[in-house]
Amino acid sequence: MAAGFKTAEPLEFHRSFLKENCRPDGRELGEFRPTTLNTGSISTADGSALVKIGNTTVICGIKAELAMPAADAPDKGYIVPNVDLPPLCSSRFRPGPPGEQAQVASQFIADVIDDSNIIKKEDLCIEKSKLCWVLYCDIMCLDYDGNLLDACIITLLAALKNAQLPKVTINKETDLAEVDMQHKSHLQINKHPVASSFAVFDDEVIIVDPTTEEESLATALITAVTDEDDQLCAFHKPGGSSLSAEKLQDCISRAVTRNREINKLIDKVTESMKSSK
Amino acid sequence: MKHAMMELEISSPVLREFGSEQSLLSKPDGSATFMQGDTSVLAGVYGPAEVKVNKEIYDRATLEVLIQPKAGMPSVRERTREQCVRETCEAALLSTLHPRSSLTLVLQVVHDDGSLLACCLNAACMALMDAGLPMSRLFCGVTCAIDAESRIITDPTAQQEKESRALMSFAIDSKEHNVVMSSTKGSFSVKEMQQCIAVSQKASERIFQFYRDSVKRRYSKIL
């Protein structure tokens, strides 16, 4: 019976739950799905992490390469994020060139990296206008069940924390780079941004961490990114139903507490990885 | 007390001179240009027309937004802008009145001198009005920049955008003056964002008044 109700009237089905201040999967309106994290999942990458938020699974691998800095920013390295949504993760994605959602997500991640100053790009420079690091951050979704952006930012942050770069020096005589694989060091993480996504139902009810179904039925989606100093790095609301400043304030307050939770989780996982070695 | 001070601060947000012209293209069902200072965007709307089968939505019209940059091909950054404009228009349009049909909104950037997303939104709204499509409300775009001394600059030029610490673009609706769309760059505090929203809401009143005046002027000639 319930399954038939859900298929025939999905919106009415969700409304009947929201009326009782809960959701079909048993969560409260302001509750995130259980979030699990694993770092160093890809042994061949320089840094990696796998995040699960409920069913949504996202993996990030970081590959570091040496390159020449750009002429207009000779003391800066590059961070190149890319979000891939393969057909494997959901039937809504087709093979071929990246679709709009993947492109928008890649751009969003690139903006968050720049705006939050997650890593000082100057730290990636080895020798001014000669040599710098390029960090290719490839983020791939393995299972898509909503809230992609939150998962992407967590996995990116965890992977960057996990990444280790070898020491590189430039030989003065030959003018060639020498890579010392024995001495690896972690990156200096400047800021710890965490994203929190919200969905708006019927122009008024705000729920956090929407699933795919909730995303498709929602009238608006919001993503707020905050760092550990409670500064906003991004407040992205692409459109949909209009909200008052007070409602937006509630979203930000929730995002601030979410930041604490996630940073605690990342620290705990990093700590346990160290002790298990 | 604090509230009174904020009122004072946002009493008259400075906008560059803005203007618009409607129905200037013959082929589209609706067209408009919008100029804010030196920033200028040309918009054309086609529809409701026949829709491709794979894009058909059974209970409402499919809206497609294309943003053409001044030079070169549309890039990933345009995709993000397109998404923002599309979802803002979808919120205002009564697309359920035209099920299984297509609406196409083409925005051609003529010149970019800052506040481009806001200008795109304003041009889009003027073009949708010109096309005579049913809408539940109007919307307008306002960009705010926060400079190094933490001052809020409304409708910044490209130079001011470059020197700013943070940049926020909002779409405000005409009904309750609430936030429909938000897109930000740089990092800022919650209080700064709330101030920028308040400033944008104030500035939006002038743009809505302009919409009203220009429509009134236009139809008073015809009737």
Side-chain angles (χ1 to χ4, degrees):
Chain A
M1 179 54 209
F5 181 30
K6 194 181 167 189
T7 324
E9 286 285 348
L11 194 56
E12 213 41 62
F13 176 76
H14 275 85
R15 273 187 198 138
S16 61
F17 279 93
L18 295 178
K19 228 184 285 163
E20 307 296 327
N21 279 328
C22 68
R23 289 149 77 174
D25 50 8
R27 281 187 287 162
E28 282 174 36
L29 302 189
E31 196 180 334
F32 281 85
R33 287 171 283 178
T35 308
T36 51
L37 176 65
N38 178 270
T39 56
S41 330
I42 310 169
S43 58
T44 49
D46 294 302
S48 60
L50 180 120
V51 170
K52 285 187 96 168
I53 301 181
N55 286 331
T56 301
T57 313
V58 174
I59 193 163
C60 174
I62 291 175
K63 190 82 205 136
E65 280 181 17
L66 291 167
M68 222 172 85
D72 58 341
D75 59 343
K76 286 181 180 172
Y78 309 87
I79 305 175
V80 187
N82 185 45
V83 178
D84 194 9
L85 297 171
L88 167 80
C89 70
S90 167
S91 61
R92 68 165 74 189
F93 305 116
R94 304 267 105 212
E100 191 197 65
Q101 198 182 357
Q103 289 188 33
V104 170
S106 297
Q107 182 67 47
F108 182 77
I109 306 289
D111 283 344
V112 168
I113 291 171
D114 287 344
D115 296 343
S116 64
N117 239 331
I118 189 165
I119 287 178
K120 284 206 180 94
K121 287 193 176 160
E122 287 82 359
D123 291 349
L124 298 174
C125 184
I126 300 161
E127 179 102 12
K128 199 179 165 185
S129 50
K130 271 194 186 149
L131 202 63
C132 70
W133 285 111
V134 189
L135 300 181
Y136 290 102
C137 311
D138 286 304
I139 301 170
M140 190 183 258
C141 183
L142 303 178
D143 192 347
Y144 184 88
D145 192 18
N147 206 357
L148 175 75
L149 295 177
D150 286 21
C152 285
I153 301 270
I154 298 171
T155 173
L156 176 78
L157 182 57
L160 284 172
K161 275 195 111 157
N162 174 252
Q164 284 185 310
L165 298 184
K167 200 176 166 200
V168 177
T169 44
I170 290 188
N171 192 321
K172 284 269 158 41
E173 285 162 24
T174 56
D175 214 26
L176 288 170
E178 286 175 356
V179 182
D180 183 3
M181 294 305 269
Q182 302 305 317
H183 293 91
K184 284 190 172 182
S185 60
H186 282 282
L187 287 159
Q188 183 75 36
I189 306 288
N190 196 26
K191 282 273 153 57
H192 297 76
V194 173
S196 309
S197 290
F198 306 86
V200 184
F201 259 85
D202 292 333
D203 301 334
E204 50 181 1
V205 186
I206 298 178
I207 57 172
V208 303
D209 186 21
T211 60
T212 333
E213 228 172 283
E214 286 163 340
E215 271 182 4
S216 59
L217 293 170
T219 49
L221 296 170
I222 304 166
T223 302
V225 185
T226 60
D227 63 21
E228 69 271 33
D229 304 324
D230 300 345
Q231 290 272 316
L232 279 158
C233 312
F235 192 83
H236 187 65
K237 180 178 184 302
S241 39
S242 61
L243 290 179
S244 64
E246 290 79 43
K247 289 233 164 143
L248 300 179
Q249 185 67 42
D250 294 344
C251 295
I252 297 167
S253 310
R254 183 69 186 93
V256 167
T257 47
R258 173 71 172 169
N259 184 294
R260 306 270 184 283
E261 292 164 22
I262 291 301
N263 273 317
K264 225 181 260 170
L265 174 75
I266 294 177
D267 286 343
K268 220 166 99 188
V269 172
T270 321
E271 208 50 49
S272 73
M273 290 298 281
K274 260 185 214 154
S275 56
S276 68
K277 258 175 208 168
Chain B
M1 176 59 205
K2 201 179 137 201
H3 193 73
M5 229 176 79
M6 231 165 92
E7 289 280 275
L8 195 77
E9 264 173 55
I10 58 169
S11 54
S12 58
V14 185
L15 295 174
R16 289 177 287 174
E17 214 165 285
F18 57 92
S20 169
E21 190 184 342
Q22 282 181 310
S23 307
L24 69 164
L25 301 176
S26 66
K27 286 291 167 202
D29 298 302
S31 59
T33 55
F34 202 90
M35 285 153 283
Q36 296 176 218
D38 287 335
T39 306
S40 171
V41 174
L42 177 64
V45 181
Y46 290 92
E50 207 165 322
V51 65
K52 271 193 207 154
V53 181
N54 59 351
K55 285 182 183 161
E56 188 181 273
I57 308 173
Y58 71 94
D59 63 346
R60 59 193 157 95
T62 310
L63 177 67
E64 200 178 357
V65 174
L66 302 164
I67 296 183
Q68 300 290 340
K70 193 168 87 168
M73 295 292 286
S75 65
V76 182
R77 200 164 281 287
E78 269 73 38
R79 280 290 114 71
T80 313
R81 286 205 186 101
E82 282 171 8
Q83 190 202 28
C84 289
V85 175
R86 192 189 63 231
E87 297 198 12
T88 307
C89 293
E90 276 174 352
L93 281 168
L94 296 168
S95 52
T96 40
L97 296 177
H98 298 287
R100 294 177 303 286
S101 55
S102 90
L103 298 172
T104 312
L105 171 65
V106 188
L107 294 159
Q108 172 68 55
V109 179
V110 180
H111 188 73
D112 177 12
D113 186 29
S115 315
L116 185 64
L117 183 56
C119 194
C120 284
L121 286 163
N122 293 331
C125 188
M126 287 297 258
L128 292 174
M129 268 196 274
D130 186 49
L133 291 167
M135 288 159 93
S136 60
R137 62 192 69 185
L138 299 177
F139 58 87
C140 74
V142 183
T143 302
C144 295
I146 300 176
D147 68 5
E149 282 106 50
S150 296
R151 281 177 306 200
I152 296 172
I153 304 167
T154 43
D155 197 16
T157 62
Q159 184 64 28
Q160 285 169 326
E161 277 189 0
K162 220 177 184 179
E163 289 161 1
S164 69
R165 177 165 60 84
L167 198 66
M168 292 169 230
S169 297
F170 300 107
I172 310 285
D173 80 293
S174 62
K175 223 165 156 184
E176 288 135 343
H177 292 262
N178 280 341
V179 180
V180 184
M181 191 274 312
S182 148
S183 167
T184 65
K185 214 176 149 28
S187 73
F188 44 88
S189 71
V190 182
K191 200 177 149 221
E192 282 170 329
M193 192 180 97
Q194 291 293 4
Q195 278 176 346
C196 283
I197 291 177
V199 169
S200 304
Q201 284 170 333
K202 194 88 191 160
S204 73
E205 284 169 24
R206 276 187 52 200
I207 301 174
F208 288 130
Q209 191 56 47
F210 171 77
Y211 283 171
R212 190 167 285 278
D213 290 344
S214 63
V215 170
K216 213 191 254 172
R217 211 175 309 128
R218 199 173 143 209
Y219 286 103
S220 65
K221 266 183 222 159
I222 298 170
L223 293 174

